[in-house]
Structure formats: structure tokens, C-alpha cells
């Protein structure tokens, strides 16, 4: 503890960008920065410059440090994220990677001398923390089973390193069940905390005026990273094509997000003949007015952890349709009581379910009652005791 008797807590991130994990991190920082018992530091391995779009949301009393800030070391990671890295740039990056790692290791060991608790928030610092004796917690944000299937070598490494943490946080009960089944040696270390949001902040941001006239038209909305290795916008586009062509739906489909699959998805929309009705809106730092005004909030993925957009949909009282992928959607939507669930990859079921929810007023009222009943579970007052136990 520091001289004021506060516990020194360091959140570790490999980089700070615009993804779901980053937005959840900001919520934790905002919440804990208000607590007089904690002194909070955010330690980011690699500085990402203008790509750190949520930097201004970090509370002023959170100390932010970077392990690698020199342009010589950070230019390649930044270019890779911005999809501007050519062959020789990537080769240079591979040459610089050992230096990045050594500097990260050195800085973590230096921090350990004054830190009471490390929180490895994106679960990327396991190799650096192995020899650190300070208490440490890992947050795991994805389905264990799907991560094992997609990258078994990496997950075997992580599995071995997770034993070195005092606690491993899973963000859904289904994730904990997977972890207990796949990694029984971690059973006593697994701890469930839902990703929480400040409902007042979300509702206030949802009232922000938007200059884009498209927000005033009837539309469905999807907010996802455009990377088909995990997400499944392809199925969503096929379902939307059915809604337009077979069911006479007039609403546009807006997609907020960016990612390496964007061109592929735009071509899919062309192939399906819906490119004039689908709008790829790119990244939005404040998507809440778009969520507030949409007819239906749609989510399609192959696997998740606990999809933030569905939590935000609950807190803004929206009608939602989501694939029932591992893990998260079923838990957030309370097994279908707070939103409709459909099988992964089934565009026909997705289209039929979305149309039913769009046209059945009795079903809408039933679901909205479920949304209202479920929303509180993903707020900080609901998880406050869990956080206290964890820290």
C-alpha cells in the first residue's frame, strides 16, 4: 500500500484500442477511480497514438504509463492495426519484437516493487508475470472451448500460465462452466463477474444529437468488429436479404464497426443484391444514439465472451435478436426472456425470428418486460460486492 493506506492496483493491457475489452476496461477504471481505498494505474505495453480513441474517457486520477512509447518501437504495431504494414514493415516489426518484450518485462518487474495487485485485463501478460510474486488476477473475455478449438497451441500455453494467477475472472457463468470442464485444475481459481455499465452515462450519451440524417430513417442495427474469424456478419446479411426479398421489410441495415473482413462483407452484400440497403457506418465513438433509435438490435457471432452490445441494448431497453453462440448471449438475454435467440449460422431462423419480433406486438411487450427485469444485473450496483470480494 502507498503512504496514504491505499491499495496500489495496476491494470495491464497489451495495447489500448477501440474494442469491446477496451470499453469494458474504461468502465472499470471509472468505477474504481471513485473509490478512496484504491490507487489505480493503467499500464499499457505499446503506445498506439491516435488509435487510442477512448483515451480521453480515462479518469484524470488514473495514472497511465506506457512500457514502449518510442516511435522506433511502436510505429510497426500502429501500422499493423491501421492495415498499413507492408512486407518489409512486418519484417522490421519481427526484429523489434524481442526489444518490445524485454522492455515490457523490465517495466513489469519495476512496477511489482510498489504494486499490491496486478490485473492482467486482456490476458496477454502471462509470460511476463510468471516470475512476479505480487498478487495477480487474469480476466478472460472469450469462450474457453472456442479459443481452444481456434488456437490450441496458444491456449495450451495460457492454460499452463493461468495456474500462476491467484484468480481467473470469467465474464459469464457459461465461461466458468467451460473452464471447470476443460481445466479442472483451475476450478478453485475461477470467479464470475459480469461486465457492467453505468446506465446513467449510457442514457445520457444516447441523447446526444447526431448530424447524420440516416439516423432518422427506420433501420436495424448491428455493432460488431468486422472480423469473420469470430463474428458472423455473413449470416446476418443473408438473413437481412430474406427479410427484404421474401418478407417485404423496408428498414435499412446499418452496421457499426470496422475490421479486416469489411471488404469481403461489402462484396457479400453486393452478391446478395442488398448493397443499396446495407450501410457500413464505420467506427462510432458514441454508438448509443444509434442504438436508441434502431427498430431491432441484431447480433451474429460464432463465439463470444459476453458481448457488450447486448448489455448496452438491455440498458437502453431494446428489442434484440442474437445468435445463441458460446458464450454470453443466452445469459445476457436470460435464455430468451429478454431477447430472441437463434442457432449460429442459420439465416432462415434469424430472418423468421427477427420478422416475428418486428411484427408481433404481444411478443414485443413480453420481451421488453424481460429486458427491464434483466438490465440491473449488468450495472455496477449489482456487481459491487463481487468486485469487493475480488480485490
Amino acid at each position: 500500500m502507498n503512504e496514504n493506506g491505499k491499495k496500489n492496483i495496476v491494470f495491464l493491457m497489451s495495447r489500448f484500442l477501440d474494442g469491446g475489452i477496451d470499453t469494458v476496461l474504461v468502465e472499470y477504471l471509472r468505477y474504481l477511480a471513485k473509490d478512496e481505498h484504491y490507487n489505480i494505474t493503467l499500464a499499457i505495453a505499446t503506445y498506439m497514438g491516435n488509435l487510442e480513441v477512448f483515451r480521453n474517457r480515462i479518469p484524470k486520477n488514473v495514472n497511465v504509463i506506457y512500457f514502449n512509447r518510442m516511435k522506433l518501437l511502436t510505429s510497426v504495431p500502429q501500422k499493423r492495426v491501421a492495415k498499413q504494414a507492408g512486407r518489409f514493415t512486418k519484417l522490421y516489426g519481427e526484429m523489434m519484437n524481442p526489444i518490445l518484450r524485454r522492455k515490457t518485462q523490465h517495466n513489469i518487474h519495476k512496477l511489482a516493487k510498489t504494486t499490491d495487485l496486478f490485473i492482467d485485463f486482456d490476458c496477454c501478460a502471462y509470460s511476463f508475470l510468471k516470475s512476479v510474486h505480487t498478487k495477480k488476477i487474469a480476466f478472460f473475455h472469450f469462450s474457453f472451448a472456442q479459443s481452444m478449438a481456434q488456437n490450441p497451441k496458444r491456449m495450451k500455453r495460457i492454460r499452463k500460465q493461468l495456474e500462476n494467477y491467484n484468480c481467473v475472472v470469467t465474464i459469464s457463468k457459461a465461461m466458468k462452466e467451460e473452464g471447470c470442464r476443460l481445466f479442472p485444475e483451475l476450478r478453485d481459481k475461477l470467479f464470475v463477474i459480469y461486465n457492467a455499465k453505468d446506465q446513467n452515462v449510457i442514457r445520457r450519451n444516447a441523447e446526444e444529437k447526431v448530424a447524420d440524417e440516416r439516423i432518422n430513417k427506420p433501420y436495424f442495427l448491428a455493432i460488431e468488429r468486422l472480423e469473420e474469424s469470430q463474428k458472423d456478419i455473413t449470416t446476418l446479411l443473408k438473413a437481412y436479404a430474406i427479410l427484404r426479398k421474401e418478407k417485404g421489410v423496408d428498414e435499412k441495415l446499418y452496421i457499426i464497426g470496422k475490421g479486416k473482413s469489411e471488404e469481403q462483407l461489402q462484396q457479400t452484400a453486393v452478391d446478395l443484391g442488398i448493397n443499396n440497403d446495407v450501410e457500413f457506418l464505420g467506427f462510432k465513438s458514441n454508438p448509443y444514439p444509434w442504438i436508441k433509435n434502431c427498430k431491432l438490435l441484431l447480433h451474429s457471432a460464432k463465439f463470444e465472451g459476453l458481448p457488450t452490445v447486448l448489455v448496452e441494448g438491455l440498458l437502453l431497453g431494446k428489442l434484440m435478436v442474437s445468435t445463441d453462440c458460446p458464450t454470453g448471449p443466452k445469459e445476457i438475454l436470460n435464455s430468451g426472456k429478454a431477447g430472441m435467440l437463434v442457432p449460429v449460422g442459420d439465416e432462415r431462423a434469424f430472418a423468421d425470428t427477427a420478422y416475428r419480433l418486428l411484427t408481433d406486438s404481444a411478443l414485443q411487450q413480453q420481451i421488453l418486460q424481460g429486458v427491464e427485469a434483466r438490465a440491473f444485473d449488468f450495472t455496477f450496483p449489482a456487481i459491487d460486492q463481487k468486485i469487493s470480494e475480488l480485490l
Side-chain angles (χ1 to χ4, degrees):
M1 292 191 180
N2 65 15
E3 64 276 6
N4 297 321
K6 292 185 175 184
K7 179 178 283 190
N8 292 322
I9 299 176
V10 175
F11 283 80
L12 296 171
M13 285 284 283
S14 57
R15 55 190 189 180
F16 184 57
L17 295 169
D18 60 358
I21 293 174
D22 310 82
T23 59
V24 172
L25 170 66
V26 169
E27 296 289 347
Y28 269 103
L29 295 177
R30 283 176 166 176
Y31 182 72
L32 293 175
K34 299 173 186 175
D35 195 314
E36 61 183 13
H37 297 98
Y38 304 127
N39 187 46
I40 307 295
T41 296
L42 171 59
I44 303 168
T46 304
Y47 177 64
M48 299 303 288
N50 293 333
L51 297 169
E52 296 184 354
V53 293
F54 299 133
R55 182 68 171 78
N56 64 348
R57 298 186 185 181
I58 298 174
K60 294 289 191 293
N61 61 333
V62 170
N63 180 33
V64 180
I65 60 175
Y66 296 92
F67 298 152
N68 300 285
R69 191 158 186 162
M70 291 175 55
K71 189 173 181 180
L72 185 71
L73 297 173
T74 62
S75 61
V76 174
Q78 290 175 25
K79 287 180 179 179
R80 289 180 76 103
V81 171
K83 305 295 185 292
Q84 297 171 350
R87 177 183 172 189
F88 291 107
T89 302
K90 291 177 181 178
L91 181 61
Y92 174 75
E94 290 175 8
M95 293 170 58
M96 291 294 104
N97 192 51
I99 301 175
L100 282 165
R101 291 185 61 82
R102 279 199 296 272
K103 283 177 66 66
T104 299
Q105 182 75 77
H106 170 76
N107 280 284
I108 285 178
H109 276 263
K110 185 178 176 182
L111 268 178
K113 296 175 183 178
T114 57
T115 297
D116 297 301
L117 174 65
F118 280 114
I119 299 179
D120 183 4
F121 202 72
D122 60 358
C123 206
C124 289
Y126 49 88
S127 61
F128 304 118
L129 289 170
K130 182 178 180 180
S131 57
V132 171
H133 299 296
T134 304
K135 287 183 178 180
K136 42 193 179 279
I137 294 170
F139 271 71
F140 203 83
H141 298 268
F142 298 100
S143 160
F144 284 115
Q146 289 294 326
S147 298
M148 282 286 285
Q150 282 215 317
N151 196 336
K153 287 185 178 179
R154 180 175 181 270
M155 276 306 300
K156 284 180 181 177
R157 289 198 306 272
I158 292 176
R159 173 183 185 171
K160 188 174 181 180
Q161 297 294 349
L162 287 178
E163 296 181 34
N164 296 316
Y165 290 87
N166 297 84
C167 181
V168 178
V169 174
T170 63
I171 56 177
S172 70
K173 294 174 184 176
M175 278 182 64
K176 180 179 179 179
E177 290 168 5
E178 283 186 350
C180 290
R181 185 178 75 252
L182 294 169
F183 316 136
E185 68 278 10
L186 297 176
R187 179 181 296 273
D188 294 336
K189 293 188 176 185
L190 296 175
F191 191 85
V192 179
I193 300 184
Y194 286 149
N195 292 339
K197 289 278 185 177
D198 187 325
Q199 189 170 27
N200 293 328
V201 171
I202 288 180
R203 289 179 173 174
R204 186 166 62 246
N205 289 339
E207 297 302 322
E208 183 179 291
K209 299 298 181 185
V210 176
D212 192 330
E213 280 299 316
R214 290 176 292 187
I215 200 169
N216 298 317
K217 298 177 181 178
Y219 62 89
F220 304 143
L221 180 66
I223 303 179
E224 306 194 46
R225 188 174 65 257
L226 306 184
E227 293 187 12
E228 290 294 87
S229 58
Q230 180 203 346
K231 306 299 183 179
D232 189 16
I233 306 295
T234 299
T235 294
L236 176 58
L237 291 172
K238 291 178 179 178
Y240 179 68
I242 294 172
L243 286 168
R244 292 286 302 188
K245 296 175 180 179
E246 297 183 20
K247 299 184 183 296
V249 165
D250 292 326
E251 285 82 0
K252 297 276 189 178
L253 173 61
Y254 295 163
I255 299 174
I256 291 176
K258 62 181 183 179
K260 61 185 178 183
S261 301
E262 183 168 355
E263 288 186 13
Q264 168 197 329
L265 293 167
Q266 288 175 337
Q267 184 57 50
T268 299
V270 172
D271 295 342
L272 291 168
I274 55 173
N275 51 300
N276 292 328
D277 304 307
V278 178
E279 301 269 3
F280 290 84
L281 303 183
F283 171 75
K284 299 287 183 187
S285 61
N286 180 15
Y288 301 123
W290 297 88
I291 297 175
K292 175 177 175 273
N293 289 312
C294 73
K295 282 275 201 78
L296 295 178
L297 186 60
L298 309 176
H299 185 74
S300 182
K302 300 180 179 77
F303 67 96
E304 287 286 359
L306 194 80
T308 302
V309 66
L310 297 182
V311 172
E312 293 165 339
L314 284 181
L315 297 177
L316 288 173
K318 301 309 297 182
L319 295 168
M320 293 177 280
V321 181
S322 173
T323 50
D324 187 13
C325 66
T327 57
K330 180 181 286 187
E331 229 165 296
I332 295 171
L333 302 181
N334 200 14
S335 298
K337 297 183 181 69
M340 307 298 285
L341 295 161
V342 297
V344 175
D346 190 336
E347 63 266 24
R348 173 62 61 180
F350 205 123
D352 290 345
T353 302
Y355 186 73
R356 182 183 167 212
L357 187 57
L358 186 69
T359 57
D360 187 334
S361 58
L363 177 62
Q364 290 174 6
Q365 290 304 310
Q366 178 184 327
I367 292 296
L368 287 174
Q369 288 174 6
V371 167
E372 185 178 0
R374 186 62 166 150
F376 175 77
D377 296 334
F378 296 91
T379 63
F380 279 103
I383 67 166
D384 180 74
Q385 184 59 38
K386 282 273 192 178
I387 293 175
S388 298
E389 291 175 25
L390 179 70
L391 300 184

